[in-house]
Amino acid sequence: MGTERVDKAWHSKGLEAYGSDALFGTLAHYGVPVTPEEFVALTREDFPLAIAQKWHAHWKGTGQFSRFPGAVAEELWRRFNSDEMAPTDLTLALINLLTSLDTALDKKADDGTWDTRFKVVDGYLARVPKEPLERHEKFMAEMVAALGEWLEPLDSMAEALAKEGQLALADRFAALEETLFPVRKGTATALVKAAKGDVEGAVKDLVVIAGDATRDEFDRLSAIDALFDCDRPDEAKRFTLELIERAEKTKDVDLASEVVDRMSRLLKLDPKRADRAELRARVEQLSRVLES
């Protein structure tokens, strides 16, 4: 391992200004000796954020070098795994799109930026790894983690655009959202329909999704959440009860946790519900089934 290292100006210069020997040398100096070959092997298992988290367990750098592992993992990924994008590439493209669409919400004229931003995101979406499933899930988890506080505007952008009369942009963003998160297939479109004023039409679409026993349970949960958003708690309750039965039958702990959350939401919306005792009893019954 060489002794070459980056200097304290790496924050301002950017890591692209340094040779790979300096990057690996700095990692070794602060407690993480790794060779280029070993780094390539790591990229076969994880993405940059996860790699950096593993390095942090042994990291001795402080001050300006306290966050070096995350930055260098991204830079080395670009150098040694250029055929595969990092999750943060998609994250940045989404943030740029959301930022540009804020101007649409402000009724400003488009200078061509909106379409360009959409096309950049579309290009990245086509490169999201699909197989194996575990790698896809790792990619998405890291992308979502990188979004952080941008998740909320991403969730609400399509509806916000529709409410401001930007109907074509709303439809386009909903389609993008459903590609990014297939669990929202049909649900995002329905919420845009509601935002356009056709709440009853949206509810009909959501009832079909929430009641479709052939669909994945989490697809149905997404539709149930949308029914809450459309102020249809009774419909949400009906399908949540169906999923409680599914969770009881399969003893699916993850599904059980999700349906309990929806039951809690029902109770919080109306603490004096006439069926309050019934809902509590179903949750307790589900708990007993899971414990048996």
Side-chain angles (χ1 to χ4, degrees):
M1 191 72 64
T3 58
E4 188 178 353
R5 288 156 46 193
V6 307
D7 54 42
K8 293 182 178 180
W10 72 270
H11 277 284
S12 57
K13 290 181 179 179
L15 290 179
E16 62 274 11
Y18 301 88
S20 296
D21 287 346
L23 303 184
F24 286 112
T26 304
L27 283 170
H29 178 77
Y30 288 107
V32 183
V34 59
T35 66
E37 294 75 20
E38 289 169 341
F39 179 76
V40 170
L42 289 174
T43 68
R44 301 292 178 260
E45 298 295 326
D46 286 306
F47 292 96
L49 179 59
I51 292 172
Q53 287 174 335
K54 291 178 180 178
W55 288 347
H56 269 294
H58 309 282
W59 191 245
K60 299 176 182 178
T62 59
Q64 291 168 309
F65 285 95
S66 61
R67 297 185 178 181
F68 185 79
V72 77
E74 292 277 355
E75 180 61 25
L76 290 173
W77 183 279
R78 285 189 284 271
R79 298 188 190 190
F80 290 88
N81 194 27
S82 59
D83 292 338
E84 188 175 16
M85 70 171 175
T88 49
D89 293 334
L90 176 54
T91 299
L92 180 59
L94 287 167
I95 291 172
N96 287 337
L97 173 60
L98 291 167
T99 301
S100 69
L101 289 177
D102 276 338
T103 63
L105 297 179
D106 292 336
K107 304 291 187 181
K108 295 180 180 179
D110 181 25
D111 60 0
T113 301
W114 302 338
D115 184 59
T116 298
R117 298 298 191 197
F118 267 113
K119 287 180 177 177
V120 171
V121 172
D122 289 341
Y124 280 130
L125 285 176
R127 297 175 57 196
V128 172
K130 303 296 190 297
E131 299 292 341
L133 179 60
E134 182 182 5
R135 190 157 183 83
H136 173 77
E137 290 177 342
K138 285 183 176 181
F139 180 97
M140 293 302 296
E142 195 155 305
M143 184 273 295
V144 168
L147 275 171
E149 63 184 15
W150 288 94
L151 268 176
E152 184 175 346
L154 188 151
D155 287 342
S156 60
M157 180 57 75
E159 296 155 77
L161 289 166
K163 290 176 181 177
E164 291 298 327
Q166 298 284 3
L167 305 186
L169 289 175
D171 290 340
R172 189 171 182 180
F173 197 90
L176 180 156
E177 188 178 348
E178 292 178 0
T179 300
L180 182 63
F181 301 112
V183 71
R184 299 181 187 177
K185 185 69 175 178
T187 298
T189 299
L191 285 173
V192 167
K193 180 183 286 190
K196 291 177 180 178
D198 186 6
V199 176
E200 294 307 316
V203 169
K204 288 180 181 178
D205 294 343
L206 293 169
V207 164
V208 170
I209 298 170
D212 187 351
T214 67
R215 293 186 68 144
D216 181 86
E217 289 89 348
F218 289 87
D219 292 7
R220 298 176 68 186
L221 282 167
S222 180
I224 288 170
D225 288 338
L227 285 168
F228 277 116
D229 293 340
C230 290
D231 195 25
R232 293 296 190 276
D234 289 337
E235 286 88 343
K237 171 194 168 183
R238 173 159 58 105
F239 298 116
T240 300
L241 288 173
E242 288 185 11
L243 290 181
I244 280 185
E245 293 177 2
R246 178 77 65 91
E248 288 174 342
K249 183 178 180 180
T250 61
K251 294 190 176 182
D252 186 327
V253 175
D254 291 335
L255 177 59
S257 175
E258 296 293 340
V259 295
V260 168
D261 282 346
R262 275 62 179 186
M263 285 297 190
S264 297
R265 185 171 179 180
L266 279 168
L267 293 171
K268 288 178 181 178
L269 283 173
D270 183 5
K272 297 182 180 180
R273 290 180 63 97
D275 58 357
R276 179 181 180 85
E278 173 199 345
L279 296 180
R280 285 188 173 277
R282 291 306 304 273
V283 170
E284 291 172 1
Q285 178 183 339
L286 176 59
S287 299
R288 287 194 296 271
V289 169
L290 293 175
E291 290 172 356
S292 64

